[in-house]
């Protein structure tokens, strides 16, 4: 049986058959012109999502967001690494925030939860994923990506980014943009997995930096490592105000 969430609402069996999401209805410009009348009312729903998120996370304390692929299998080395990240962040007294899905997100939540830490999942309404993983101890389901993404950045003191796909890249580059433009400060971004991420950094250096579209400083905001302890130490340094 597949569970499906529409924001905080759970749907099962025939109720879960609809595939259109709230974000899609908001952003898709095709169709009738009833958006003139319905979009102002959508603002209230959007407002409610921000209020719900702010209320649930306001007293979370120092937290780190961990991103990675929902497709990471439980027997893959990256799953074990994500679990280690979650555990060691919890042992360093950080709450661990993920997207609440399966794969690497589940592993990080599992590590944090089993270590006695605060394991948070920020889910999103998607046509091909359902519900929060079993290791989420505090979870919020969002309808709108932009509301969810605000919660990640607002309540995190840093990002640990494991191998992932388009969604992981989205979160990575949004955070990098906010650091570059000084919207957030003392915000470490760690790419965990040198083999996976090296090609991306090489392209940024050899193409973007060479063409002058980014600066060396932009690249310096990213730390590439395979060492979980190094990643956690950077987060601790940022929390203590020791990050240069």
């Amino acid at each position: 049986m597949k569970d499906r969430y529409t924001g905080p609402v759970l749907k099962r069996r025939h109720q879960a058959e609809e595939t259109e999401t709230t974000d899609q209805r908001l952003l898709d410009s095709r169709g009738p012109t009833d958006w003139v009348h319905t979009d102002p009312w959508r603002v209230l729903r959007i407002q409610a999502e921000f209020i719900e998120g702010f209320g649930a996370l306001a007293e979370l304390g120092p937290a780190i967001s961990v991103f990675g692929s929902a497709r990471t299998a439980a027997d893959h080395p990256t799953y074990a690494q994500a679990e280690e990240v979650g555990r060691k962040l919890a042992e360093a007294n950080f709450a661990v925030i993920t997207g609440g899905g399966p794969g690497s997100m589940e592993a990080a939540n599992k590590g944090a939860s089993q270590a006695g830490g605060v394991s948070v999942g920020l889910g999103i309404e998607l046509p091909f994923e359902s519900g929060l993983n079993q290791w989420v101890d505090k979870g919020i389901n969002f309808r709108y990506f932009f509301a969810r993404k605000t919660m990640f950045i607002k309540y995190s003191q840093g990002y640990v980014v494991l191998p992932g796909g388009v969604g992981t890249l989205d979160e990575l580059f949004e955070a990098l943009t906010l650091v570059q433009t000084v919207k957030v400060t003392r915000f470490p971004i760690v790419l965990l997995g040198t083999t996976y991420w090296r090609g991306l950094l090489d392209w940024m250096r050899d193409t973007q930096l060479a063409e002058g579209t980014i600066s060396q400083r932009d690249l310096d905001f990213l730390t590439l490592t395979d060492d979980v302890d190094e990643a956690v130490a950077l987060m601790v340094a940022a929390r203590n105000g020791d990050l240069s």
Side-chain angles (χ1 to χ4, degrees):
M1 178 176 62
K2 182 178 180 180
D3 292 352
R4 176 175 173 76
Y5 285 86
T6 305
V9 178
L10 170 64
K11 296 181 180 180
R12 287 177 171 159
R13 290 175 283 276
H14 67 279
Q15 291 289 326
E17 293 172 0
E18 180 186 5
T19 59
E20 188 181 46
T21 65
T22 308
D23 261 335
Q24 180 183 346
R25 288 192 291 272
L26 172 66
L27 299 174
D28 195 342
S29 60
R30 294 169 296 181
T33 57
D34 61 354
W35 63 270
V36 173
H37 308 288
T38 59
D39 274 3
W41 292 104
R42 284 194 178 114
V43 172
L44 298 178
R45 176 176 281 179
I46 292 166
Q47 176 180 286
E49 289 214 337
F50 279 105
I51 292 171
E52 188 72 26
F54 292 157
L57 301 175
E59 298 180 359
L60 186 60
I64 302 298
S65 287
V66 180
F67 297 98
S69 177
R71 303 178 185 183
T72 304
D75 59 354
H76 194 281
T78 299
Y79 188 99
Q81 189 177 48
E83 193 172 336
E84 181 184 3
V85 169
R87 182 179 74 254
K88 289 187 174 180
L89 285 172
E91 290 170 351
N93 296 314
F94 286 108
V96 173
I97 306 174
T98 79
S104 294
M105 294 175 281
E106 174 187 282
N109 285 131
K110 179 180 179 182
S113 182
Q114 290 189 330
V118 180
S119 174
V120 179
L122 306 182
I124 185 67
E125 177 186 316
L126 292 174
F128 46 80
E129 288 181 24
S130 57
L132 298 171
N133 70 68
Q134 63 176 320
W135 297 103
V136 170
D137 298 324
K138 174 177 281 190
I140 310 170
N141 275 294
F142 290 89
R143 291 183 173 92
Y144 298 103
F145 263 115
F146 53 83
R148 176 184 185 239
K149 289 166 76 174
T150 299
M151 302 305 152
F152 278 124
I153 204 76
K154 177 173 174 58
Y155 292 103
S156 296
Q157 295 189 343
Y159 279 6
V160 176
V161 188
L162 291 118
V166 173
T168 301
L169 289 172
D170 179 42
E171 298 291 353
L172 165 62
F173 281 106
E174 178 164 56
L176 182 57
T177 300
L178 292 172
V179 173
Q180 179 203 51
T181 55
V182 202
K183 299 298 184 181
V184 293
T185 58
R186 293 198 309 274
F187 193 90
I189 305 171
V190 175
L191 301 177
L192 201 56
T194 56
T195 300
Y196 190 87
W197 293 113
R198 176 71 68 187
L200 174 63
L201 293 184
D202 287 346
W203 175 79
M204 292 176 70
R205 183 189 64 248
D206 297 341
T207 301
Q208 291 185 302
L209 184 60
E211 291 287 337
T213 56
I214 64 171
S215 69
Q216 181 60 49
R217 181 170 174 269
D218 299 330
L219 288 173
D220 292 341
F221 289 133
L222 301 172
T223 299
L224 178 65
T225 186
D226 288 315
D227 189 340
V228 172
D229 289 330
E230 180 184 358
V232 174
L234 281 169
M235 303 302 155
V236 172
R239 182 179 61 193
N240 295 340
D242 298 330
L243 190 68
S244 59

